[in-house]
Amino acid sequence: MSASPEAATTSLSPAAARRGRWQPVGLGQARIGSGFWAPRQTRNGDQAIPFGQQQLESAGNLHNLRLAAGIGDGEAIGPVFADSDVYKWLEAVAWEYGRNPSEELLERQRELTAIVAAAQREDGYLDSVVQLRYGDEGRYQQLVWSHEHYCAGHLIQAALAQVRCTGDRELLEVAIKLADHLVASFGDSDGEGDGKTVDVDGHPVIEMALVELYRETGTSAYLELARWFVEARGHGIIANHGHEPTYFSDRVPVREAATVEGHAVRAVYLAAGATDVALETGDAELLEALKRQFAHMWSTKTYVTGGLGARWDGEAFGDEHELPPDRAYAETCAAIGGIQWAWRMLLATGEAQYADAIERMLYNGFLAGVSLAGSEYFYVNPLQLRGSAHPDNNRSPAHGRRGWFDCACCPPNIMRTLASLDGYLASTSTDSVQLHQYAAGAVTAELPGRGSIGLTVETEYPWQGSVRVTVEQTADGPWALELRIPQWAEGATVDGAPVAAGEYARIEREWPVGAVVEVQLPMKPRAVTAHPRVDAVRGCVALERGPLVYAVEQVDQQANVDDLHLLTDADVAVSHDPSLLDGVTVLRTRGRTDTEVEVVAVPYYAWANREIGAMRVWLPRGDAGRSDRPAVKG
Amino acid sequence: MSASPEAATTSLSPAAARRGRWQPVGLGQARIGSGFWAPRQTRNGDQAIPFGQQQLESAGNLHNLRLAAGIGDGEAIGPVFADSDVYKWLEAVAWEYGRNPSEELLERQRELTAIVAAAQREDGYLDSVVQLRYGDEGRYQQLVWSHEHYCAGHLIQAALAQVRCTGDRELLEVAIKLADHLVASFGDSDGEGDGKTVDVDGHPVIEMALVELYRETGTSAYLELARWFVEARGHGIIANHGHEPTYFSDRVPVREAATVEGHAVRAVYLAAGATDVALETGDAELLEALKRQFAHMWSTKTYVTGGLGARWDGEAFGDEHELPPDRAYAETCAAIGGIQWAWRMLLATGEAQYADAIERMLYNGFLAGVSLAGSEYFYVNPLQLRGSAHPDNNRSPAHGRRGWFDCACCPPNIMRTLASLDGYLASTSTDSVQLHQYAAGAVTAELPGRGSIGLTVETEYPWQGSVRVTVEQTADGPWALELRIPQWAEGATVDGAPVAAGEYARIEREWPVGAVVEVQLPMKPRAVTAHPRVDAVRGCVALERGPLVYAVEQVDQQANVDDLHLLTDADVAVSHDPSLLDGVTVLRTRGRTDTEVEVVAVPYYAWANREIGAMRVWLPRGDAGRSDRPAVKG
């Protein structure tokens, strides 16, 4: 089966959604040129990706694949999912090459791809750790923990990025052989020796990957297997292995679930894959179930930062409104998975809420996961650190960001996300172009049979709220420009006229080259409060400005952050400091402990880049609801 | 070395403290006769202990020991610390026999003791799981996780209870052989083949056990090894095994530590053992360190219920003031360990704060761990359960109490604590008797050379605050009766005269037989607040009465507990309902959601005995500091 030209030219992973309301623009057709994200992407390419290769070498991931390829002697090192880190890194390299081609990247890619290809078994099976530790008999025997499908999924995603961005097909051939092996090995068995096993991987991601591989190749068996994996969950497969099903999103069938639960990354990866399946199979019931789950997640299990996963124990979603700021797990990978899910929901539904969600996750819960320097990472992203906090383990935020982890899922996940970020800016349909995320750069889109649209975007977003869109190239006849007005942007205008927040401002007309649209998003700081059932931040407010959530760090305060209350009736002064934290807009207002003091807030994403000290996103109100009564006990 | 007569007659485990300010009264000299605890002890003996034996059979703990004893064929089953559950159960049986001798208990004890004795290796080594899984070469190779010393510690404690309560020496012989094996195997090595290993068990308890074995036998090598285990921690032994030391209380030497941290049960067991070491070696510096640690724990890391351990992740103490009510771990075993530590601190210092702490842990954090029926258990003891809470794993409180656990440390720990509870009532010194916990019953104490003191105690405590102490037998000359006036009992009187709260009311005189002392502790309900740094319960109050913390359960309310606010300026009506929850005093007051409603509170220990629904100890104040502002996000 040959590659589908449609998929090959228009799909990105962020997914192409053939049946969705909107489609991604083609590869390279949305480009971040300057502004907020560009230097972050540059550091990702220049610092993080080369450093990542060193880490994959020293942590043993490449050692494992080399051994499986017959190079050298030894035993597998590290966690069972070690291969996946290599694949995520390869995906990042491909996207980075797409942004900024270089021979060096191609060499790095080809060197590692060759190892991966050589590690694959003749029948298509590939998982270096299982091969080395358990041999052929060990294949798929412990799927609940072995991560074999998880590694396969990341391999497929890397292969697709590689073929699309660099044209290299070597990894794609490996991916297809492996996918064919999965197709032959999993699904409903006839019980008469068809070789199929009814089982699912403990960690989803294969679902998204197989659907995208179907988009690339047109091979419907991949879509069918993805559909099967989604449907197979929630029927006791994992419980039959003696494990608690909740952790693995296996308690309730996806199409019946009312919420997300268990391990947050698993839950949102599964939901993203299920959205892909719903899109490509036209399964409206499944899509409705996913809408319901996303809404429940967003309204009861999501931090103000967009962080997902309240619990360290099981890296899991908590109960409704269980959102402790101090022990927020909010794994960086969960924010990434949340973005991937929201992107698919956005394409499927055309609802601005999903682009709003991407924005909140991207600028806050995700971005806090990487240092300003670009190559140190947070695994967990709490909304509070006490001054007395003590680092009790490797992932503790009290350590500050770290270069790598024993479980190194987050760093290469951040790398591939930053390198592919351009893909989230815009989408298109037969008669329109949507701008979802505002970044200085350019967007191109093809209207079928009507030619290309070219737009440039000028903005200092997120520091300033004005966005100027210029039509550089236009399609025949009328078409619509759709501009997301974030939910927080009450009072926004487009070309001076008021527009509603929380939806797209749609301007349909014949557009001459040179036409300009001016969006103004109000950037007044906001003091927000939580749902009253969020017990952990009762009586507290958080500061936001534009898409950014702010944090109060000890290094900026006169008072002890652990005791600081915010005077919410005080004015908030806004000033941009280009020398602070690579340039941030600072908020200054008033608070109190025993006496009144100035409170300085910086964007949450930038915390812990100077020193590790007390930090709070949520601050108790000092002007009402004073809770500092005589102490008894906790 | 023969048993020391002094220890044999006066020591209990709760520890005899030779150098402490006070000593425990002799075995059987403090007896709970009726009232609050007596029926709980009866159910423990009649229901829980026999049921526990069945569980030890069906869960495989006895199977393992039988296999190690050469009876039958098979492999070890269950966790590596499985033996310890048997030993805790044997300890419970011994104490229960001390309370209420029966041939049946003796038979049960002898049957299991014979298996244990047969499982012991000729050289004294004993750990059935290690013997079966790893053989002789596997001994002490993974001490950080193997729990070999932990199991040994519980064996020793069981053996001491057995010899003291039943006179049977068989288990003590096993314990001495094992302790001698430990003495030969651990300690500072001369590096020239003395066979000693410098290592510590990942889970403390051996320290307490060895000191108590020293008290029983007079063998100073046991005290010396306990001292060595305490001193060896915090010097990187466990980090050298590649583990994070905090979890194992191994980051800082005990005598330098400012707080407790890491796994809560490990931390408090270690501290209790270190207190024993400090007491028996006269190490004032070590005792000061333990005072400091207890004070820090109690003021910053203890729930209002006396629950210890804020985190599910690592079953650990959190940072200072990190005390979430919903995700409180507050393991039942941690409350038990806390009581054991506080008891040793009390004997060492004579400070009422430690008896107050025992009271808070005993009536709340500990007692909630067992059902009213007596044989279902909570592993974790949160202070809040949301109505929407979903049980995600075996230990989830949303399941309600359970009969047993895969990790069954708590049930037999509760059994031995209830069966030995009498030991915490009273203590003595050369010229005084102290009453620490008030329960209807009798206390006898010997004053050296001056004869016996006999007291009866009549009280409906904790439901009523009057305690009547009658002198039934008296010693020669003046002696002092010391009566604990709890910290919460402001306004207490003794014989009508005001006495200070938070210390002992001391009455020194010549006491005639028939003398009566009347203590009146005010039982007005109290609305208490937390330290303002306990962010998780900002703006909330909890209700207490006497030693009991109260909880609001959904089953008693008109309003949804998740939304309920307390009107703290409303009156609180007190009524005793003998038919509710085996008889409890109920508090009734006012609250609101949208409208004003009645709020009914029952003792926290009794929650989840009717149905599992929403429950809160901390309720937001509805009369001030209203925090139900428009929702934005968590």
Side-chain angles (χ1 to χ4, degrees), chain A residues 364-404:
Chain A
N364 304 289
F366 163 72
L367 189 54
V370 57
S371 67
L372 295 178
S375 50
E376 294 86 36
Y377 308 95
F378 271 140
Y379 197 112
V380 301
N381 295 280
L383 284 74
Q384 174 180 11
L385 187 73
R386 291 186 179 79
S388 59
H390 170 67
D392 61 334
N393 71 32
N394 190 272
R395 295 174 197 174
S396 170
H399 276 300
R401 294 182 184 81
R402 310 199 123 191
W404 209 250

Side-chain angles (χ1 to χ4, degrees), chain A residues 285-350:
Chain A
E285 183 191 72
L286 183 58
L287 187 62
E288 279 305 311
L290 292 157
K291 281 186 193 177
R292 183 171 71 231
Q293 291 160 31
F294 193 98
H296 192 262
M297 174 183 84
W298 201 252
S299 62
T300 73
K301 298 185 180 182
T302 304
Y303 285 97
V304 70
T305 56
L308 303 175
R311 296 182 181 173
W312 278 66
D313 182 60
E315 309 188 308
F317 284 108
D319 289 321
E320 289 177 20
H321 303 113
E322 180 194 324
L323 293 164
D326 47 356
R327 290 292 287 177
Y329 200 70
E331 183 178 338
T332 307
C333 284
I336 292 169
I339 291 167
Q340 294 176 351
W341 184 18
W343 175 247
R344 286 156 176 79
M345 295 301 288
L346 176 65
L347 297 179
T349 65

